[in-house]
Amino acid sequence: MMTRQLLATITCLLMVTSTPFLLLSQDDMAYKVPPKTVSDLLLAKPASSVNVNEKGEWMLLTDYNSYPSVEELAQPELRIAGLRINPKNYAPSRQNFINNLYLKNITTGKELKITGLPTPLFAGNVSWSPNDKKIAFTQTTTDRVDLYVIDVPTQKAVKVNKTALNALLGATYQWYDDNTLLYRTTLAPASSAPPKPLMPKGPAVQESYGKASPRPTFQDLIKSPHDEQLFAFYGTAQLVKNVNGVETKIGQPAIYANIDVSPNKNYLLIRTLKKPFSYTVTAFGFPATVAITDLAGKMVKNLVELPSAETAPSGRDNVQNVPRGIEWRDDEAATIVWCMPLDSGLMRKKVDFHDAVYALNAPFTGEAKELFKTELRYYNTAWGNSSLALVSEGLGSKQMVRTNRFNPGTGELSKLMERNTTDAYSNPGNPVTTSNAYNRQVIQTIDNGNKILMNNPTGASPKGDLPFLAVFDLNSKKSEILWRCPEGSFESVIRVLDSDKLTLLTRRENETTMPNYWLKDLKLRIADRQITSFANPYPQLEGVSKQKISYKRADGVDLTGDLYLPKGYDAKRDGPLPTLIWAYPAEYNSAADAAQIRGSEHRFTLLNWGSPIYYVTQGYAVLNNAEMPIVATSADKKPNDDFIDQLKMNAEAAIGKLSDLGVGDKNRMAVGGHSYGAFMTANLLAHTNLFKGGIARSGAYNRTLTPFGFQNEDRTYWENPDLYHEMSPFSYANKIKTPILLIHGDTDNNTGTFPIQSERMFNAIKGHGGTVKYVSLPYESHGYAGRENILHMLAEQFNWLEKYVKSAPAEGTKAGLKP
């Protein structure tokens, strides 16, 4: 039955339809702008970003360029091996640069200008030196990337490199010590890149001989021998050590994917990529050599030759049967640790332990020592000291994570806690860290090593998000909250500056007050001191009301959403409004977790390009972050087994609540979303008559084009073809009669959301006589960046809402489910 439906749909698309459609004039396809209020909100200058040094003495403030012009996005770009490369300067294309840097002394509050900055400034990759007295950053120009260092005491910046940097793979640079930087440099002018021959030597050929390669549908992959040449040319670099401006080469040129200095500064852990380059996975899945060298680049130990990631098994908890997580142990001078699967990488195998973690100490000549084994899939280790580390393991398919206490001295591994990753209320937070003698971040202990501080910057609770700082007792396994954000506001701990005095740097905000930074002393309990005074960039939103509303769907699952209402609006006087519901579905194995309250109504509203909140200034009610949980209804079912029915219940519950409040007109409802939210939108329009219009941005609508899984769905198309068909709104394009606006960046780089998804969806709906518009934004990726494109997107969305939602009759047309 499913096959016949698919064939019928495909046949319809191939047929010439008599459905009338509008041919657009050249003027119709010119860039549009939304109402001035919307434009002003988008282009408002944002507050400076804040970067505080380890000691909490200095604050570096950075200002970023506003949205670049589409002309900037249109500059030449190479899209190979999962990378987007500026072919003129060995750097990633489409970067958002810092255009201003300045310092602020936290003690005195004085702001200080930095001299010696290049003009114009296109800075990035900011990093403090180990002693907090210097700040490094990159400066990217049209033909090269340079490295600058700011001397904090004198507030003076100087360029330190002579050879241009290669900034394509891994970290662009790293501090070795307070006077030394490591980075990769270019080998030849970008103008000498291999040209594309007009006459290729032959066709591009891919082969497979019996080895399965169930990989996701990555974008921007290598597609030809010439792409291989380009990747090798731009990726190959020389590793360099720079001591006070003097450059010294380390080793030989290679394609460096990762470089990490040992804690004692005597060794380098290096991962280099090698041929054959894959046409199926991105650069970081290419075959690689992982080795330890000395500081001259001489080989000390070849740890492993990693194969291509092409043959990694599908499934959320399955891994390649190779070493992974290879890294230095942060609390020892020079110890390499890594994980190896004990189940050949396949979680379905019945074994007592699925992973083992090993260690090898310098000089790396002996046998590796097994540190511990995990019953679940090993995730990572947070190192503390010779008697404490925290080991995380879990199962993504079951949405569970376990945290263990590991004693490196005795080898004992004991469970501290286990929780659902979707259970936000039980999240204990993250261990507070500090720099050790090696300048590595390690877990900070208190009370003779028996307790640790835990910082939860979210602090989800039944009363909404209330961030907290707690003390966790490693012996009793109990947590005691030291400080929690008071109800009626939102404040989170950015850094614990002094764990003994409990001096904190916090970020505080409420509905009407911009986020600003404060000093707080929990022991002395002196008055909090404000460090920054960022002003509200959105005067146009003053008077707009925001509240978190709660409601139930038909099966009893509790839902929430953030409701925005126009300035001066009175429901009794003005009546229900046309409404835009904006959402993104999420999967849960637990209905109780799905029902938890997320977010806080007391946060200041910060806008980005993709926000739906702009339209509250145009007379619309906006329900943002409307919960759309998809819940496994029994132990033997997965969430997506009831995807469509649960979407319907979520939407019906939201509309019912808005109608009951008297603020939303149930006959003038719109729904929208980006990416998986667009997929949701198309499905709701295909299976209900609840809405008068829909906005779907950069979505995937035909799941057979992502056959090895999508989102949290790890079953393949061939394991459950009915599921893929039924969840694909493309399969039901003939039922979409509600007007739908499709928007997509024409160079989308996200796995699965190829622009062809929107192109084919448009053709399918048009072919069946539906009302549909497709806007293809030039040079845009999955997230949009170009100023003219974003303004046009906001205008198209506004016009769609005005035409099909606000102008719809407020009474008369009944909403309901399609038969």
Side-chain angles (χ1 to χ4, degrees):
M1 180 68 177
M2 184 207 71
T3 303
R4 289 197 298 271
Q5 288 176 322
L6 282 175
L7 288 173
T9 303
I10 293 169
T11 302
C12 287
L13 291 177
L14 295 174
M15 293 173 61
V16 177
T17 176
S18 60
T19 303
F21 59 93
L22 182 66
L23 290 174
L24 298 178
S25 70
Q26 201 166 13
D27 289 340
D28 290 326
M29 292 189 286
Y31 275 117
K32 302 172 184 176
V33 292
K36 185 178 184 301
T37 299
V38 175
S39 298
D40 290 345
L41 285 170
L42 174 74
L43 301 176
K45 187 180 186 298
S48 300
S49 297
V50 170
N51 188 331
V52 179
N53 69 351
E54 178 75 16
K55 297 181 178 67
E57 300 167 338
W58 290 94
M59 180 178 281
L60 179 71
L61 296 105
T62 55
D63 296 330
Y64 283 84
N65 292 321
S66 59
Y67 300 103
S69 69
V70 173
E71 185 178 9
E72 291 177 67
L73 298 184
Q75 296 305 304
E77 177 182 67
L78 298 175
R79 302 170 197 151
I80 49 177
L83 306 174
R84 294 199 164 179
I85 302 169
N86 184 329
K88 297 181 179 180
N89 61 10
Y90 289 89
S93 57
R94 302 169 178 266
Q95 296 188 65
N96 187 20
F97 294 111
I98 297 167
N99 60 24
N100 187 33
L101 292 160
Y102 60 103
L103 285 161
K104 185 167 190 170
N105 187 293
I106 291 179
T107 302
T108 66
K110 185 177 180 181
E111 291 184 358
L112 300 166
K113 182 181 179 181
I114 300 168
T115 62
L117 294 174
T119 305
L121 183 65
F122 294 101
N125 306 297
V126 174
S127 175
W128 292 85
S129 66
N131 66 2
D132 278 353
K133 293 183 179 180
K134 296 177 181 178
I135 304 168
F137 67 89
T138 55
Q139 164 73 358
T140 302
T141 56
T142 55
D143 61 348
R144 61 183 285 143
V145 178
D146 290 306
L147 187 60
Y148 280 72
V149 170
I150 302 167
D151 181 70
V152 175
T154 63
Q155 301 93 51
K156 183 178 180 180
V158 294
K159 184 167 80 76
V160 297
N161 67 301
K162 293 180 174 59
T163 313
L165 274 64
N166 185 317
L168 282 180
L169 291 165
T172 304
Y173 70 89
Q174 60 184 286
W175 287 99
Y176 172 81
D177 59 31
D178 296 323
N179 299 305
T180 307
L181 290 150
L182 300 181
Y183 49 86
R184 292 163 290 125
T185 62
T186 62
L187 302 179
S191 58
S192 61
K196 185 174 183 177
L198 294 177
M199 176 65 182
K201 293 181 179 179
V205 178
Q206 299 183 56
E207 300 173 305
S208 179
Y209 298 104
K211 289 187 177 181
S213 180
R215 296 297 80 216
T217 51
F218 295 114
Q219 307 239 37
D220 301 334
L221 297 175
I222 286 178
K223 297 181 177 67
S224 69
H226 181 246
D227 284 350
E228 294 186 57
Q229 292 178 323
L230 288 173
F231 175 73
F233 175 82
Y234 283 102
T236 304
Q238 174 66 57
L239 183 58
V240 164
K241 178 173 68 173
N242 184 316
V243 183
N244 293 321
V246 178
E247 293 180 340
T248 304
K249 294 180 180 180
I250 298 176
Q252 299 300 311
I255 304 176
Y256 293 99
N258 189 65
I259 303 156
D260 191 11
V261 183
S262 65
N264 68 358
K265 315 297 185 187
N266 291 341
Y267 303 97
L268 300 175
L269 175 62
I270 294 177
R271 176 171 177 155
T272 54
L273 306 182
K274 60 182 183 179
K275 293 182 177 181
F277 302 145
S278 173
Y279 285 46
T280 306
V281 297
T282 63
F284 292 97
F286 289 178
T289 297
V290 182
I292 299 171
T293 74
D294 62 18
L295 294 184
K298 182 180 178 181
M299 178 74 72
V300 174
K301 176 77 172 180
N302 190 340
L303 291 173
V304 64
E305 298 290 334
L306 294 174
S308 168
E310 287 186 6
T311 57
S314 63
R316 296 264 306 168
D317 300 310
N318 295 328
V319 296
Q320 262 187 305
N321 191 27
V322 298
R324 70 183 195 277
I326 306 170
E327 61 186 5
W328 296 110
R329 182 171 156 178
D330 293 316
D331 63 327
E332 289 197 341
T335 300
I336 285 288
V337 293
W338 68 91
C339 174
M340 189 71 190
L342 300 176
D343 55 8
S344 301
L346 303 176
M347 184 54 69
R348 68 173 181 269
K349 286 195 174 182
K350 303 297 182 182
V351 293
D352 292 333
F353 298 96
H354 286 273
D355 282 327
V357 173
Y358 301 89
L360 183 63
N361 301 328
F364 316 108
T365 54
E367 291 294 321
K369 173 187 176 183
E370 182 185 291
L371 296 181
F372 54 82
K373 297 176 182 177
T374 59
E375 295 177 339
L376 309 175
R377 188 62 75 205
Y378 171 76
Y379 288 163
N380 57 65
T381 299
W383 298 98
N385 51 46
S386 59
S387 62
L388 175 66
L390 296 181
V391 175
S392 294
E393 57 179 308
L395 293 174
S397 60
K398 296 185 180 298
Q399 298 181 335
M400 65 175 293
V401 63
R402 178 186 297 171
T403 302
N404 306 294
R405 178 182 183 179
F406 174 60
N407 186 325
T410 64
E412 180 184 1
L413 184 76
S414 57
K415 183 170 71 173
L416 281 180
M417 65 186 79
E418 186 172 298
R419 51 180 289 271
N420 287 350
T421 55
T422 55
D423 180 6
Y425 294 171
S426 69
N427 187 344
N430 304 311
V432 172
T433 62
T434 186
S435 289
N436 63 8
Y438 302 117
N439 282 312
R440 309 281 284 208
Q441 289 294 308
V442 294
I443 299 169
Q444 184 163 20
T445 61
I446 57 176
D447 192 17
N448 297 317
N450 293 309
K451 299 177 180 179
I452 59 176
L453 292 172
M454 301 288 282
N455 180 25
N456 190 324
T458 303
S461 80
K463 296 181 179 180
D465 288 354
L466 296 171
F468 63 81
L469 181 71
V471 171
F472 183 81
D473 191 310
L474 296 166
N475 299 313
S476 68
K477 304 179 184 179
K478 293 182 178 180
S479 185
E480 176 189 355
I481 292 180
L482 294 174
W483 170 86
R484 187 156 205 164
C485 169
E487 295 179 31
S489 65
F490 187 88
E491 184 175 10
S492 59
V493 176
I494 302 301
R495 180 170 298 169
V496 177
L497 300 176
D498 189 317
S499 61
D500 294 324
K501 298 179 181 179
L502 289 178
T503 305
L504 315 176
L505 179 70
T506 67
R507 186 175 186 260
R508 183 186 300 174
E509 62 191 281
N510 60 33
E511 301 95 316
T512 60
T513 305
M514 268 285 288
N516 275 291
Y517 292 80
W518 294 71
L519 277 181
K520 183 184 294 291
D521 194 309
L522 297 186
K523 280 195 173 179
L524 296 180
R525 298 189 180 278
I526 58 177
D528 296 352
R529 181 161 67 89
Q530 188 169 351
I531 305 300
T532 62
S533 300
F534 300 131
N536 180 1
Y538 311 126
Q540 303 90 336
L541 292 182
E542 291 179 0
V544 168
S545 68
K546 173 189 176 183
Q547 68 176 116
K548 184 169 285 293
I549 60 172
S550 300
Y551 46 99
K552 285 183 183 292
R553 72 183 195 187
D555 61 355
V557 174
D558 291 316
L559 306 174
T560 63
D562 298 322
L563 176 62
Y564 293 82
L565 296 172
K567 177 181 179 180
Y569 170 72
D570 181 277
K572 292 183 179 179
R573 181 192 66 210
D574 303 323
L577 298 171
T579 302
L580 172 59
I581 298 175
W582 200 265
Y584 191 96
E587 296 95 332
Y588 296 88
N589 288 331
S590 162
D593 291 355
Q596 291 182 354
I597 294 175
R598 292 167 177 81
S600 169
E601 64 182 345
H602 303 298
R603 300 204 68 171
F604 185 81
T605 299
L606 292 170
L607 300 177
N608 60 37
W609 64 268
S611 175
I613 299 168
Y614 296 103
Y615 303 112
V616 75
T617 66
Q618 304 303 308
Y620 290 84
V622 177
L623 185 65
N624 194 27
N625 301 319
E627 295 278 3
M628 289 280 173
I630 309 299
V631 184
T633 55
S634 63
D636 61 342
K637 297 187 75 173
K638 291 194 173 187
N640 285 336
D641 292 345
D642 301 298
F643 182 83
I644 300 300
D645 288 341
Q646 294 195 48
L647 272 189
K648 293 176 183 178
M649 285 193 291
N650 292 329
E652 289 173 322
I655 293 171
K657 179 64 175 181
L658 294 167
S659 178
D660 290 345
L661 291 173
V663 299
D665 185 339
K666 65 169 58 178
N667 289 331
R668 292 189 293 165
M669 290 280 166
V671 64
H674 188 87
S675 195
Y676 208 52
F679 171 73
M680 168 206 74
T681 297
N683 264 309
L684 283 170
L685 299 193
H687 297 285
T688 77
N689 279 325
L690 296 170
F691 301 97
K692 286 296 184 290
I695 299 169
R697 292 195 318 238
S698 297
Y701 310 107
N702 183 348
R703 283 301 164 195
T704 67
L705 298 180
T706 55
F708 289 105
F710 54 91
Q711 290 296 106
N712 291 312
E713 179 57 64
D714 60 0
R715 291 169 291 186
T716 71
Y717 167 77
W718 297 274
E719 291 173 318
N720 199 331
D722 288 345
L723 176 79
Y724 277 69
H725 171 75
E726 290 162 8
M727 285 185 67
S728 296
F730 181 82
S731 303
Y732 302 94
N734 60 316
K735 294 186 176 182
I736 298 179
K737 302 306 178 185
T738 302
I740 183 170
L741 173 64
L742 301 172
I743 304 175
H744 217 120
D746 72 359
T747 55
D748 194 319
N749 60 344
N750 184 55
T751 301
T753 53
F754 290 82
I756 197 172
Q757 291 272 8
S758 288
E759 294 169 12
R760 293 294 181 262
M761 191 66 177
F762 170 76
N763 288 333
I765 297 172
K766 184 180 80 168
H768 287 95
T771 299
V772 59
K773 186 174 187 178
Y774 174 40
V775 179
S776 178
L777 300 176
Y779 308 108
E780 292 294 354
S781 297
H782 194 59
Y784 310 155
R787 182 172 58 253
E788 297 89 345
N789 280 336
I790 296 171
L791 288 169
H792 185 89
M793 175 203 78
L794 291 170
E796 290 281 9
Q797 292 177 165
F798 174 69
N799 293 340
W800 201 256
L801 293 171
E802 292 284 290
K803 183 174 183 179
Y804 294 108
V805 182
K806 183 179 282 188
S807 63
E811 301 290 340
T813 304
K814 292 186 177 181
L817 298 183
K818 289 186 176 180

